[in-house]
Amino acid sequence: MRAVPAPDPLDTWVAHAVEKPGATGIFTDFDGTLAPIVDDPAAARAVDGAVDALHRLAARFGVVAVISGRPVRFLMDRLELSTRPQATNLVVAGLYGLERARGSAVELHPDAGRWAEAVADAAARAEADAPPDVLVERKGLSFTLHVRTSPMSADWARSWIEACAAATGLVSHPARMSYELRPPVEIDKGTVVAELLDDMSAGCFLGDDLGDLPAFDALDRLTADRGLAGLKVGVRSAEAPQELIERADVLVEGPVGSAQLLERLGLDGA
Ligand SMILES: [Mg+2]
């Protein structure tokens, strides 16, 4: 008997999505997923075609969201929310869901605001303590120590962040060449995905880093609990964590691969 090749998980998922576009959610990370990682985080931009594809998808599918650790204002700018008609269809969640764009307004998570002062104090201490080659990025309700251009300072940054977390009650989150402190609010990319998929029958998430794994967890949970058609897309790079690569249903090559996949989702069955 001839072996029947297993169906391609992307083809299977796209068939679900185009059958019920209004009940489909499409979610993506930003840095490393849509935008190449660059030394200066302020200089990051999505690759050609990615922003167009997202807006096209947002006009067609039930919910389309960019969910990132960046401040939501940065994302709104990079995703051209203010310059495109109908851009409000695209949901933008910043700081892992602590901030959400509603049209041109920004809503804060109700539990996060009271931590703003503690975050600002800790960020000021980081700026005073950090070696000159460590970049302190203030994000409002969180801040990040970047060691991309100074890997020799990675140990310093990790122990500083851990000590600060223990002293303040803020929570540390390691990522690619960076360490971040956030308020101890039970929110991450997974809680945002689960909320946005509340009444949807299919959902996918594209991510490249450890902070994206909770979104993969949420898709797995919804698939097990209520038969959601989930698709976990891992973005391959030299720095991609092994766990992300192993858990992905589909791998794409860098942000260009992500943009190609989003473009395909916008065209298939349309
Ligand atoms: Mg990323």
Side-chain angles (χ1 to χ4, degrees):
M1 213 167 75
R2 256 189 327 148
V4 179
D8 178 70
L10 178 58
D11 291 343
T12 305
W13 189 85
V14 170
H16 276 287
V18 299
E19 192 188 349
K20 293 184 181 171
T24 295
I26 298 171
F27 310 116
T28 176
D29 167 51
F30 184 78
D31 290 283
T33 298
L34 300 181
I37 300 284
V38 288
D39 286 347
D40 176 7
R45 288 182 184 281
V47 294
D48 284 351
V51 175
D52 286 338
L54 282 172
H55 286 286
R56 209 161 34 232
L57 292 170
R60 179 180 179 200
F61 289 95
V63 55
V64 177
V66 175
I67 308 168
S68 163
R70 294 279 202 162
V72 77
R73 292 273 178 209
F74 172 89
L75 298 166
M76 291 162 77
D77 173 71
R78 290 301 191 267
L79 299 166
E80 302 171 13
L81 251 56
S82 63
T83 55
R84 290 179 184 248
Q86 299 183 323
T88 47
N89 285 341
L90 184 63
V91 175
V92 180
L95 304 185
Y96 300 87
L98 293 175
E99 298 177 331
R100 185 90 54 97
R102 298 268 181 216
S104 60
V106 172
E107 286 178 5
L108 298 185
H109 189 284
D111 298 337
R114 65 198 173 89
W115 288 90
E117 197 177 323
V119 170
D121 288 350
R125 273 204 308 285
E127 285 164 350
D129 292 354
D133 54 356
V134 173
L135 174 66
V136 181
E137 182 191 7
R138 289 192 187 229
K139 299 172 163 182
L141 286 173
S142 71
F143 69 96
T144 302
L145 302 185
H146 292 278
V147 294
R148 173 160 298 279
T149 57
S150 55
M152 302 288 282
S153 296
D155 286 344
W156 175 87
R158 189 180 55 249
S159 35
W160 192 94
I161 283 280
E162 284 169 3
C164 186
T168 59
L170 298 169
V171 180
S172 70
H173 296 267
R176 288 165 66 170
M177 307 303 284
S178 67
Y179 301 89
E180 179 159 307
L181 275 185
R182 293 180 219 154
V185 175
E186 288 290 323
I187 193 162
D188 57 31
K189 295 186 184 186
T191 60
V192 177
V193 163
E195 180 206 324
L196 293 175
L197 284 177
D198 186 32
D199 49 0
M200 303 276 151
S201 61
C204 74
F205 186 92
L206 288 74
D208 74 306
D209 203 352
L210 295 173
D212 300 312
L213 290 175
F216 282 11
D217 293 337
L219 291 178
D220 283 348
R221 213 162 37 239
L222 293 169
T223 300
D225 290 353
R226 59 172 180 84
L228 178 95
L231 183 77
K232 297 166 291 191
V233 181
V235 180
R236 208 176 348 220
S237 73
E239 297 175 2
Q242 192 59 29
E243 187 181 355
L244 180 109
I245 298 298
E246 284 168 3
R247 291 194 51 196
D249 302 310
V250 171
L251 292 170
V252 297
E253 294 299 330
V256 170
S258 300
Q260 287 168 345
L261 189 145
L262 294 175
E263 282 166 353
R264 173 183 167 184
L265 296 181
L267 297 174
D268 267 35

